[in-house]
């Protein structure tokens, strides 16, 4: 949702346009059903391990998750139980996701699913999404940000847009996206950007 807010400020015709859960819709659903008039399609990915932990914490501490399930103790023991519920991950437990999310291949399903919200494996969604389709969707997107690197992703986006963006984005780029030294031996940095 951070990216929804940032992209909206850039005056791009982007989808999703609101922080109202639409950012959780699968990329394919966004492109084919909701964002057909958008000129710019983006998504955010994150470290798979961090993402699974985030899904668990959302399930445990979100109001609906607290009401639906008995959590037995520490985050560590509850996380272990939540994962055990889904293991071994396979088609045999496709409809048994606990809380809102089935953790198996979630981000790949987000890229390939035609479902509105690919949280579970209901409706015939494949347990192992087609890697070629996920790669094709990824490369067809205009921009992919990384949750763990919001600042760096923001700098890359603003640099990529250059003069086709707002004065605020250019100011952010000028004031916050400078490399004082090369990032790798032998690299040169043009204009410290």
């Amino acid at each position: 949702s951070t990216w929804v807010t940032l992209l909206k400020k850039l005056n791009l015709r982007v989808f999703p346009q609101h922080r109202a859960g639409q950012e959780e819709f699968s990329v394919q659903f966004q492109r084919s059903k909701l964002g057909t008039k958008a000129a710019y399609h983006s998504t955010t990915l994150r470290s798979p391990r961090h993402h699974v932990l985030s899904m668990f914490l959302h399930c445990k501490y979100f109001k609906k998750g607290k009401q639906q399930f008995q959590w037995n103790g520490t985050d560590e023991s509850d996380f272990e139980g939540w994962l055990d519920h889904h293991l071994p991950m396979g088609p045999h437990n496709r409809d048994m996701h606990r809380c809102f999310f089935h953790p198996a291949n979630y981000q790949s399903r987000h890229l390939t699913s035609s479902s509105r919200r690919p949280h579970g494996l209901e409706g015939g969604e494949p347990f192992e999404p087609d890697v070629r389709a996920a790669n094709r969707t990824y490369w067809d997107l205009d921009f992919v940000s990384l949750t763990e690197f919001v600042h760096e992703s923001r700098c890359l986006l603003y640099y990529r847009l250059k003069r086709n963006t707002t004065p605020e984005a250019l100011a952010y780029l000028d004031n916050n996206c400078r490399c004082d030294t090369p990032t790798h031996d032998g690299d040169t940095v043009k204009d410290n950007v």
Side-chain angles (χ1 to χ4, degrees), residues 9-34:
K9 293 178 183 177
L10 295 178
N11 297 323
L12 297 171
R13 282 192 346 251
V14 344
F15 191 87
Q17 298 173 340
H18 308 288
R19 291 177 60 187
Q22 293 178 337
E23 66 274 11
E24 293 182 8
F25 293 164
S26 74
V27 172
Q28 292 301 329
F29 184 82
Q30 289 180 32
R31 293 176 88 176
S32 65
K33 305 283 189 208
L34 301 174

Short mmCIF file of all heavy atoms in Angstrom, two decimals, residues 9-34:
data_model
loop_
_atom_site.label_atom_id
_atom_site.label_comp_id
_atom_site.label_asym_id
_atom_site.label_seq_id
_atom_site.Cartn_x
_atom_site.Cartn_y
_atom_site.Cartn_z
N LYS A 9 0.72 9.83 -6.40
CA LYS A 9 1.26 11.19 -6.40
C LYS A 9 2.01 11.53 -7.68
O LYS A 9 2.33 12.68 -7.93
CB LYS A 9 2.20 11.38 -5.21
CG LYS A 9 1.51 11.34 -3.87
CD LYS A 9 2.51 11.48 -2.76
CE LYS A 9 1.84 11.38 -1.40
NZ LYS A 9 2.83 11.45 -0.31
N LEU A 10 2.30 10.55 -8.51
CA LEU A 10 3.10 10.78 -9.72
C LEU A 10 2.27 11.16 -10.94
O LEU A 10 2.80 11.32 -12.02
CB LEU A 10 3.94 9.54 -10.03
CG LEU A 10 4.98 9.18 -9.01
CD1 LEU A 10 5.71 7.91 -9.42
CD2 LEU A 10 5.97 10.32 -8.81
N ASN A 11 0.99 11.25 -10.78
CA ASN A 11 0.09 11.60 -11.89
C ASN A 11 0.18 10.61 -13.04
O ASN A 11 0.09 10.99 -14.20
CB ASN A 11 0.37 13.03 -12.39
CG ASN A 11 0.09 14.06 -11.33
OD1 ASN A 11 -0.84 13.91 -10.55
ND2 ASN A 11 0.90 15.09 -11.28
N LEU A 12 0.38 9.36 -12.73
CA LEU A 12 0.35 8.30 -13.73
C LEU A 12 -1.03 7.66 -13.68
O LEU A 12 -1.66 7.61 -12.63
CB LEU A 12 1.39 7.23 -13.43
CG LEU A 12 2.85 7.65 -13.46
CD1 LEU A 12 3.71 6.52 -12.91
CD2 LEU A 12 3.28 7.99 -14.86
N ARG A 13 -1.50 7.16 -14.78
CA ARG A 13 -2.74 6.38 -14.78
C ARG A 13 -2.36 4.96 -14.34
O ARG A 13 -2.05 4.11 -15.15
CB ARG A 13 -3.38 6.37 -16.16
CG ARG A 13 -4.12 7.62 -16.49
CD ARG A 13 -5.00 7.49 -17.74
NE ARG A 13 -4.74 6.34 -18.56
CZ ARG A 13 -4.16 6.38 -19.77
NH1 ARG A 13 -3.78 7.51 -20.29
NH2 ARG A 13 -3.98 5.27 -20.45
N VAL A 14 -2.38 4.72 -13.05
CA VAL A 14 -1.90 3.47 -12.51
C VAL A 14 -3.04 2.74 -11.83
O VAL A 14 -4.04 3.32 -11.45
CB VAL A 14 -0.73 3.65 -11.51
CG1 VAL A 14 -0.09 4.96 -11.60
CG2 VAL A 14 -1.01 3.31 -10.14
N PHE A 15 -2.85 1.45 -11.69
CA PHE A 15 -3.76 0.63 -10.91
C PHE A 15 -2.92 -0.27 -10.03
O PHE A 15 -1.92 -0.78 -10.49
CB PHE A 15 -4.66 -0.22 -11.81
CG PHE A 15 -5.76 -0.86 -11.02
CD1 PHE A 15 -6.93 -0.17 -10.80
CD2 PHE A 15 -5.59 -2.09 -10.44
CE1 PHE A 15 -7.93 -0.73 -10.03
CE2 PHE A 15 -6.58 -2.65 -9.67
CZ PHE A 15 -7.76 -1.96 -9.47
N PRO A 16 -3.29 -0.48 -8.78
CA PRO A 16 -4.48 0.02 -8.10
C PRO A 16 -4.36 1.49 -7.73
O PRO A 16 -3.27 2.01 -7.59
CB PRO A 16 -4.58 -0.85 -6.85
CG PRO A 16 -3.20 -1.33 -6.61
CD PRO A 16 -2.54 -1.40 -7.94
N GLN A 17 -5.51 2.14 -7.58
CA GLN A 17 -5.53 3.57 -7.30
C GLN A 17 -5.81 3.89 -5.84
O GLN A 17 -5.65 5.03 -5.43
CB GLN A 17 -6.59 4.24 -8.17
CG GLN A 17 -6.31 4.09 -9.63
CD GLN A 17 -7.45 4.62 -10.49
OE1 GLN A 17 -8.58 4.75 -10.03
NE2 GLN A 17 -7.15 4.91 -11.73
N HIS A 18 -6.27 2.93 -5.06
CA HIS A 18 -6.65 3.20 -3.68
C HIS A 18 -6.06 2.16 -2.75
O HIS A 18 -5.85 1.02 -3.14
CB HIS A 18 -8.18 3.18 -3.52
CG HIS A 18 -8.89 4.04 -4.51
ND1 HIS A 18 -8.87 5.40 -4.44
CD2 HIS A 18 -9.62 3.72 -5.60
CE1 HIS A 18 -9.57 5.90 -5.44
NE2 HIS A 18 -10.03 4.89 -6.17
N ARG A 19 -5.81 2.57 -1.52
CA ARG A 19 -5.35 1.65 -0.50
C ARG A 19 -6.57 1.04 0.19
O ARG A 19 -6.89 1.35 1.30
CB ARG A 19 -4.50 2.38 0.53
CG ARG A 19 -3.18 2.86 0.01
CD ARG A 19 -2.44 3.64 1.04
NE ARG A 19 -2.20 2.80 2.21
CZ ARG A 19 -1.68 3.25 3.34
NH1 ARG A 19 -1.36 4.50 3.46
NH2 ARG A 19 -1.49 2.44 4.34
N ALA A 20 -7.22 0.16 -0.52
CA ALA A 20 -8.45 -0.43 0.02
C ALA A 20 -8.47 -1.93 -0.22
O ALA A 20 -9.51 -2.50 -0.47
CB ALA A 20 -9.66 0.23 -0.62
N GLY A 21 -7.32 -2.54 -0.18
CA GLY A 21 -7.25 -3.97 -0.42
C GLY A 21 -7.05 -4.35 -1.88
O GLY A 21 -6.75 -5.48 -2.19
N GLN A 22 -7.22 -3.39 -2.80
CA GLN A 22 -7.05 -3.71 -4.21
C GLN A 22 -5.62 -4.08 -4.54
O GLN A 22 -5.37 -4.80 -5.50
CB GLN A 22 -7.49 -2.53 -5.08
CG GLN A 22 -8.98 -2.28 -5.00
CD GLN A 22 -9.39 -1.08 -5.84
OE1 GLN A 22 -8.59 -0.20 -6.13
NE2 GLN A 22 -10.65 -1.05 -6.21
N GLU A 23 -4.67 -3.62 -3.72
CA GLU A 23 -3.28 -3.96 -3.97
C GLU A 23 -3.02 -5.44 -3.75
O GLU A 23 -1.99 -5.97 -4.16
CB GLU A 23 -2.33 -3.10 -3.11
CG GLU A 23 -2.44 -3.35 -1.63
CD GLU A 23 -3.53 -2.54 -0.92
OE1 GLU A 23 -4.37 -1.92 -1.59
OE2 GLU A 23 -3.53 -2.55 0.31
N GLU A 24 -3.96 -6.14 -3.11
CA GLU A 24 -3.83 -7.57 -2.89
C GLU A 24 -4.41 -8.40 -4.03
O GLU A 24 -4.26 -9.60 -4.04
CB GLU A 24 -4.50 -7.97 -1.58
CG GLU A 24 -3.82 -7.41 -0.36
CD GLU A 24 -4.48 -7.88 0.92
OE1 GLU A 24 -5.37 -8.75 0.87
OE2 GLU A 24 -4.09 -7.38 1.98
N PHE A 25 -5.09 -7.76 -4.96
CA PHE A 25 -5.64 -8.50 -6.09
C PHE A 25 -4.49 -9.05 -6.92
O PHE A 25 -3.45 -8.43 -7.05
CB PHE A 25 -6.51 -7.61 -6.96
CG PHE A 25 -7.77 -7.13 -6.32
CD1 PHE A 25 -8.47 -6.09 -6.88
CD2 PHE A 25 -8.28 -7.71 -5.17
CE1 PHE A 25 -9.65 -5.62 -6.31
CE2 PHE A 25 -9.46 -7.26 -4.59
CZ PHE A 25 -10.14 -6.22 -5.16
N SER A 26 -4.70 -10.21 -7.53
CA SER A 26 -3.65 -10.78 -8.36
C SER A 26 -3.36 -9.85 -9.53
O SER A 26 -4.22 -9.10 -9.99
CB SER A 26 -4.06 -12.16 -8.88
OG SER A 26 -5.04 -12.03 -9.89
N VAL A 27 -2.13 -9.89 -10.02
CA VAL A 27 -1.72 -9.02 -11.11
C VAL A 27 -2.58 -9.27 -12.34
O VAL A 27 -3.04 -8.33 -12.99
CB VAL A 27 -0.23 -9.23 -11.44
CG1 VAL A 27 0.17 -8.48 -12.69
CG2 VAL A 27 0.64 -8.79 -10.27
N GLN A 28 -2.85 -10.53 -12.67
CA GLN A 28 -3.67 -10.85 -13.84
C GLN A 28 -5.08 -10.30 -13.69
O GLN A 28 -5.66 -9.79 -14.63
CB GLN A 28 -3.70 -12.35 -14.09
CG GLN A 28 -2.38 -12.92 -14.54
CD GLN A 28 -1.88 -12.28 -15.84
OE1 GLN A 28 -2.66 -11.87 -16.69
NE2 GLN A 28 -0.58 -12.17 -15.96
N PHE A 29 -5.66 -10.41 -12.49
CA PHE A 29 -6.99 -9.89 -12.25
C PHE A 29 -7.01 -8.38 -12.40
O PHE A 29 -7.89 -7.81 -13.02
CB PHE A 29 -7.49 -10.30 -10.86
CG PHE A 29 -8.91 -9.88 -10.59
CD1 PHE A 29 -9.96 -10.64 -11.05
CD2 PHE A 29 -9.18 -8.71 -9.89
CE1 PHE A 29 -11.28 -10.26 -10.81
CE2 PHE A 29 -10.49 -8.32 -9.65
CZ PHE A 29 -11.53 -9.11 -10.12
N GLN A 30 -6.00 -7.71 -11.84
CA GLN A 30 -5.91 -6.26 -11.96
C GLN A 30 -5.86 -5.83 -13.42
O GLN A 30 -6.57 -4.92 -13.83
CB GLN A 30 -4.65 -5.74 -11.27
CG GLN A 30 -4.67 -5.81 -9.77
CD GLN A 30 -3.38 -5.27 -9.19
OE1 GLN A 30 -2.76 -4.38 -9.74
NE2 GLN A 30 -2.98 -5.82 -8.06
N ARG A 31 -5.02 -6.50 -14.18
CA ARG A 31 -4.82 -6.09 -15.57
C ARG A 31 -6.03 -6.39 -16.45
O ARG A 31 -6.37 -5.60 -17.33
CB ARG A 31 -3.58 -6.77 -16.13
CG ARG A 31 -2.32 -6.28 -15.46
CD ARG A 31 -1.13 -7.00 -15.95
NE ARG A 31 -0.64 -6.29 -17.12
CZ ARG A 31 0.44 -6.61 -17.77
NH1 ARG A 31 1.17 -7.63 -17.37
NH2 ARG A 31 0.83 -5.92 -18.81
N SER A 32 -6.69 -7.53 -16.22
CA SER A 32 -7.77 -7.92 -17.12
C SER A 32 -9.14 -7.38 -16.71
O SER A 32 -10.01 -7.22 -17.55
CB SER A 32 -7.83 -9.44 -17.23
OG SER A 32 -8.17 -10.01 -16.00
N LYS A 33 -9.35 -7.11 -15.43
CA LYS A 33 -10.69 -6.73 -14.97
C LYS A 33 -10.77 -5.29 -14.47
O LYS A 33 -11.72 -4.59 -14.79
CB LYS A 33 -11.13 -7.64 -13.81
CG LYS A 33 -11.09 -9.11 -14.14
CD LYS A 33 -12.26 -9.51 -14.99
CE LYS A 33 -12.27 -11.03 -15.09
NZ LYS A 33 -12.85 -11.54 -16.25
N LEU A 34 -9.81 -4.87 -13.70
CA LEU A 34 -9.96 -3.59 -13.02
C LEU A 34 -9.09 -2.48 -13.59
O LEU A 34 -9.51 -1.33 -13.65
CB LEU A 34 -9.62 -3.75 -11.53
CG LEU A 34 -10.49 -4.75 -10.79
CD1 LEU A 34 -9.99 -4.95 -9.38
CD2 LEU A 34 -11.93 -4.28 -10.76
#
